[in-house]
């Protein structure tokens, strides 16, 4: 591709709304342009990268035995009403009406449509298993679209859905998809980790997220420092502590509770400093509104509550911190003074609370706390693992210290069971002629987000450093001076010989200063830069520089193709 002919508007400045590096660099390198919040045009440079991700995903999905289909983007409300999600999906679902006033939505995910498709065609266990995938546009009216393609409203996803007659078969396919995802992200050339993820209401351990490691990632990953255990911090379990290992001195255990004045002191830090009690002895009490009514969650003052764990413990679909009014209703006090003693709503407490003695808690009245609180004696709670895991906590598998890393979720695999098939009366006939709901799994990959995550992980101050498999071009050819006929002649020869050998070459044939061209080359991040100048031509050579390496080297023109081949040779996917 000749740069003079390419629709490639690069920018010196980052757009004002670009908070993360991938968004800045994708815009500056002419990959994307914003149309509306969370909605983008993909320009030729951007589409090349997206197509690379898609190609790897498509090849590996097909190799795994899945079959590609294409489902519509505009979906009838009836199917969503059947599954019950029309009412519970909330405002992320963009609803529209046709000219007859019929309800539709823009597809944010396709469980309903695929379940409907399969129930119409598949009658017998003999037609199973089946895994169907598509690479297609999704729409989610995200509350805060941001970070460019990373969290768009309209975005491209590979989504796959599998159908099985037995649980064992569904689990086999889950493992097959797990392995397939490992191959996909390896082939993309990314540093990533598969982590155990939150399964929400569905339960079981059958959900993994694939996280590209990057310090700018939105998600926190708890990984063991010595065994392979890794989990989303939302999910990461913390074992029950050994009793008696709590933070409190035993001598204060027997004292009766006593109310003390704590005017205006609401935060753990304020109360702890004022009463001269370490945060670990405070019983932080948070009131939540749930679909089971208000509940109180108790954690030690030096810990954070993990809402996903609380949600599971309570068994509620919805969970939100209670507002001032709801807190007042539950405790009779303004916010900041809730405590478990005398509270008449269900109490859920983290293990660590059980071991507190001489505890401090809100008094459920304004400007007051109580001291000498003894859990068990002064209140009864349901105990469990409710706090967020921290760096250094013991690994739930082997006990070694946990490390917290940051990542970007690019893929998610899920064993669904019969959630959708049962709700949508979607059945097959088993060996005995009995009707049973399909056992399902679903498997997603964010295509645009994978490209963005690749940049978050691979860049420097000058621009993108594309992993070879995702790079928009293989080589970036820079003639230093297009007004020098020798240089042009040699550049044209290099260009046609590399193109002939099957390489994608971006040929910067502009009449620009070399400095400008080099800056753009660094910004765009193609793996190999080849510079042609009259100076090196005198030695029969061109200059070759890898984007990821520091220095350049001279290569004889006749050895160039071999050199490029060597640099671009990448490890094939396992078995590929
Ligand atoms: P998140 O937790 O980041 O909102 P999710 O759990 O809702 O994502 P899934 O429903 O699991 O996402 O979707 C599968 C994949 O689609 C995700 O792993 C992610 O890579 C991608 N994805 C989800 N939402 C977006 C978005 N708004 N923009 C771009 N990609 C997205
Ligand atoms: Mg997810």
């Amino acid at each position: 591709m000749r740069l003079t002919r390419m629709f490639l508007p690069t920018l010196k400045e980052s757009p004002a709304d670009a908070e993360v590096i991938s968004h800045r660099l994708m815009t500056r390198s002419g990959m994307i342009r914003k149309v509306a919040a969370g909605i983008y045009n993909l320009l030729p440079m951007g589409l090349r990268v997206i197509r690379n991700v898609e190609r790897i995903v498509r090849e590996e999905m097909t190799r795994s035995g899945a079959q590609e289909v294409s489902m519509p983007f505009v979906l009838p409300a009836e199917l969503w009403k059947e599954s019950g999600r029309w009412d519970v999906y909330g405002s992320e679902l963009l609803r529209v009406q046709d000219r007859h006033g019929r309800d539709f939505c823009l597809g944010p995910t396709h469980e309903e449509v695929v379940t409907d498709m399969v129930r119409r065609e598949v009658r017998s266990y003999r037609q199973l298993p089946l895994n169907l995938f598509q690479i297609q546009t999704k729409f989610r009216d995200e509350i805060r679209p941001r970070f460019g393609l990373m969290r768009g409203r309209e975005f491209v996803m590979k989504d796959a859905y599998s159908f099985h007659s037995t649980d064992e078969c569904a689990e086999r396919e889950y493992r097959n998809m797990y392995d397939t995802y490992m191959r996909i992200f390896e082939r993309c050339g990314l540093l990533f980790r598969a982590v155990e993820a939150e399964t929400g209401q569905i339960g079981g351990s059958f959900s993994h997220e694939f996280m590209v490691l990057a310090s700018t990632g939105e998600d926190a990953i708890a990984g063991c420092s010595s065994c392979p255990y890794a989990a989303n911090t939302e999910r990461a379990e913390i074992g029950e502590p050994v009793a008696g290992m709590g933070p409190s001195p035993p001598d204060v255990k027997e004292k009766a509770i006593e109310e003390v004045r704590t005017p205006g002191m609401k935060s753990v830090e304020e109360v702890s400093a004022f009463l001269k009690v370490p945060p670990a002895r405070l019983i932080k009490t948070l009131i939540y509104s749930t679909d089971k009514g208000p509940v109180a969650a108790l954690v030690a003052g030096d810990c954070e509550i993990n809402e996903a764990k609380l949600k599971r413990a309570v068994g509620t679909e919805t969970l939100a911190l209670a507002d001032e009014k709801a807190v007042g209703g539950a405790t009779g006090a303004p916010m900041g003074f809730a405590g478990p003693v005398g509270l008449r709503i269900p109490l859920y407490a983290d293990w660590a609370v059980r071991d507190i003695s001489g505890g401090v808690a809100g008094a459920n009245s304004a400007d007051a706390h109580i001291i000498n609180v003894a859990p068990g004696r002064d209140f009864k709670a349901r105990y469990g693992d409710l706090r967020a895991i921290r760096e250094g906590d013991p690994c739930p598998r082997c006990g070694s210290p946990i490390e917290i890393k940051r990542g970007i979720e690019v893929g998610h695999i899920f064993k669904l069971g019969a959630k959708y098939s049962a709700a949508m009366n979607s059945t097959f006939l088993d060996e005995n002629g009995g009707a049973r709901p399909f056992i399902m799994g679903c498997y997603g990959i964010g295509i645009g987000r994978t490209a963005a995550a690749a940049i978050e992980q691979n860049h420097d101050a000058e621009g993108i450093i594309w992993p070879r498999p995702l790079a928009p071009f293989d080589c970036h050819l820079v003639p230093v001076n297009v007004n020098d006929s020798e240089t042009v002649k040699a550049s044209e020869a290099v260009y046609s010989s590399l193109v002939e050998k099957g390489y994608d070459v971006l040929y910067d044939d502009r009449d620009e200063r070399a400095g400008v061209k080099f800056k753009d080359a660094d910004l765009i991040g193609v793996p190999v830069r080849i510079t042609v100048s009259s100076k090196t031509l005198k030695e029969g050579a061109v200059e070759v520089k890898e984007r990821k390496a520091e220095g350049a080297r001279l290569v004889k023109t006749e050895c160039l193709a071999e050199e490029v081949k060597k640099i671009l040779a990448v490890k094939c996917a396992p078995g590929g």
Side-chain angles (χ1 to χ4, degrees):
M1 182 85 223
R2 287 169 198 270
L3 222 157
T4 48
R5 311 299 301 274
M6 186 167 178
F7 181 43
L8 177 63
T10 57
L11 297 174
K12 286 208 179 60
E13 301 296 326
S14 301
D17 66 339
E19 298 167 58
V20 296
I21 198 81
S22 57
H23 187 187
R24 280 185 226 133
L25 291 176
M26 277 188 168
T27 310
R28 286 190 50 213
S29 68
M31 292 177 66
I32 59 169
R33 284 294 183 271
K34 181 160 121 181
V35 176
I39 301 178
Y40 290 87
N41 281 327
L42 281 176
L43 309 190
M45 187 67 86
L47 193 58
R48 280 175 169 262
V49 174
I50 295 299
R51 291 282 184 258
N52 287 338
V53 180
E54 287 178 356
R55 180 176 36 79
I56 293 172
V57 169
R58 181 173 281 118
E59 281 173 15
E60 291 300 332
M61 287 301 293
T62 305
R63 183 140 80 103
S64 78
Q67 298 171 63
E68 188 165 3
V69 293
S70 177
M71 291 180 267
F73 173 54
V74 179
L75 312 176
E78 288 71 38
L79 292 177
W80 284 71
K81 287 180 179 157
E82 254 193 89
S83 74
R85 283 209 289 188
W86 185 258
D87 296 322
V88 300
Y89 209 91
S91 9
E92 263 190 30
L93 191 67
L94 187 64
R95 296 153 213 253
V96 291
Q97 284 194 335
D98 70 4
R99 63 170 79 202
H100 307 293
R102 292 189 201 105
D103 289 324
F104 288 84
C105 63
L106 300 189
T109 174
H110 279 67
E111 284 82 2
E112 282 81 358
V113 187
V114 76
T115 304
D116 176 59
M117 176 163 72
V118 169
R119 78 177 160 184
R120 287 164 187 272
E121 314 301 334
V122 176
R123 301 264 169 262
S124 153
Y125 72 95
R126 284 194 204 91
Q127 293 162 277
L128 298 173
L130 202 55
N131 189 342
L132 302 173
F133 79 98
Q134 61 175 350
I135 299 179
Q136 187 237 30
T137 300
K138 299 277 180 272
F139 196 95
R140 294 182 183 178
D141 204 354
E142 298 266 356
I143 186 163
R144 266 195 78 205
R146 58 188 191 283
F147 306 160
L149 298 195
M150 194 96 87
R151 185 169 296 285
R153 292 197 293 168
E154 185 179 306
F155 59 97
V156 175
M157 194 201 285
K158 184 284 295 176
D159 46 332
Y161 308 88
S162 69
F163 295 81
H164 310 269
S165 56
T166 64
D167 236 28
E168 298 73 65
C169 183
E171 278 166 33
R172 251 195 322 274
E173 185 60 11
Y174 184 91
R175 276 194 295 277
N176 180 28
M177 283 295 110
Y178 182 100
D179 295 341
T180 301
Y181 275 40
M182 296 294 281
R183 282 203 303 271
I184 287 172
F185 295 115
E186 264 164 36
R187 271 190 66 185
C188 286
L190 298 171
L191 200 63
F192 68 98
R193 233 171 148 170
V195 308
E196 288 180 22
E198 191 48 49
T199 51
Q201 287 308 302
I202 292 154
S205 63
F206 287 98
S207 174
H208 281 85
E209 286 168 348
F210 290 76
M211 300 278 194
V212 168
L213 301 179
S215 55
T216 50
E218 271 188 308
D219 289 287
I221 305 161
C224 180
S225 51
S226 67
C227 84
Y229 178 78
N232 190 315
T233 49
E234 278 190 358
R235 162 104 204 151
E237 311 144 41
I238 306 166
E240 184 178 349
V242 182
M245 299 290 281
S248 313
D251 59 312
V252 285
K253 218 169 195 163
E254 305 304 330
K255 287 191 196 157
I257 56 168
E258 196 183 311
E259 191 167 312
V260 294
R261 302 293 301 156
T262 50
M265 317 247 162
K266 297 183 174 188
S267 73
V268 166
E269 296 71 35
E270 288 164 339
V271 176
S272 157
F274 184 70
L275 296 177
K276 298 191 174 50
V277 173
R281 264 172 51 202
L282 263 54
I283 301 169
K284 189 152 75 180
T285 307
L286 300 157
I287 310 296
Y288 282 91
S289 300
T290 77
D291 53 34
K292 305 236 158 123
V295 302
L298 316 180
V299 288
D302 61 341
C303 298
E304 293 301 325
I305 185 87
N306 176 323
E307 292 185 351
K309 291 179 181 177
L310 177 64
K311 207 170 159 189
R312 239 178 306 152
V314 177
T316 173
E317 287 272 350
T318 61
L319 180 95
L321 266 177
D323 58 17
E324 188 81 49
K325 191 161 152 256
V327 170
T331 68
M335 264 187 185
F337 298 97
V341 181
L343 204 57
R344 273 194 250 281
I345 55 175
L347 304 182
Y348 291 86
D350 182 62
W351 295 122
V353 170
R354 192 186 51 183
D355 283 346
I356 293 179
S357 53
V360 173
N364 299 320
S365 79
D367 297 332
H369 278 74
I370 48 180
I371 57 171
N372 306 330
V373 177
R377 182 192 70 184
D378 298 324
F379 64 87
K380 299 267 179 287
R382 275 169 247 193
Y383 287 96
D385 168 20
L386 294 185
R387 74 172 171 89
I389 199 161
R390 290 179 298 201
E391 183 100 16
D393 273 332
C395 165
R397 300 277 183 278
C398 77
S400 302
I402 285 288
E403 293 167 349
I404 307 282
K405 290 208 168 83
R406 303 217 59 91
I408 299 162
E409 179 200 321
V410 288
H412 197 169
I413 59 174
F414 229 107
K415 186 170 163 248
L416 289 172
K419 187 180 156 111
Y420 293 92
S421 48
M424 295 179 66
N425 199 17
S426 180
T427 59
F428 65 95
L429 296 177
D430 65 14
E431 289 95 324
N432 307 314
R436 286 199 286 137
F438 297 104
I439 308 294
M440 290 171 61
C442 72
Y443 321 93
I445 290 180
I447 301 292
R449 191 184 286 184
T450 300
I455 297 178
E456 292 293 328
Q457 190 178 77
N458 302 284
H459 66 268
D460 63 14
E462 311 309 320
I464 305 169
I465 307 175
W466 283 113
R468 150 94 220 269
L470 303 189
F473 292 93
D474 302 313
C475 305
H476 194 133
L477 177 61
V478 181
V480 162
N481 177 3
V482 294
N483 300 312
D484 173 57
S485 59
E486 278 306 303
T487 304
V488 171
K489 202 169 131 222
S491 302
E492 292 287 338
V494 167
Y495 181 57
S496 35
S497 101
L498 289 176
V499 167
E500 204 165 289
K501 291 196 168 58
Y503 294 109
D504 270 331
V505 184
L506 181 59
Y507 179 15
D508 193 347
D509 56 343
R510 294 175 301 173
D511 186 5
E512 280 285 359
R513 281 184 297 116
V516 171
K517 294 186 178 185
F518 290 155
K519 259 199 145 21
D520 275 344
D522 281 348
L523 174 64
I524 294 165
V526 172
V528 185
R529 192 184 78 197
I530 301 162
T531 308
V532 182
S533 71
S534 52
K535 201 169 106 207
T536 59
L537 283 175
K538 285 200 186 84
E539 298 169 42
V542 294
E543 187 195 86
V544 171
K545 182 184 174 296
E546 285 183 62
R547 176 64 182 90
K548 63 173 194 270
E550 277 298 319
R553 57 184 179 278
L554 287 186
V555 175
K556 292 279 180 217
T557 332
E558 62 270 21
C559 307
L560 180 65
E562 199 47 41
E563 183 67 18
V564 167
K565 187 171 163 196
K566 226 164 44 199
I567 296 174
L568 293 178
V570 282
K571 187 168 62 106
C572 271

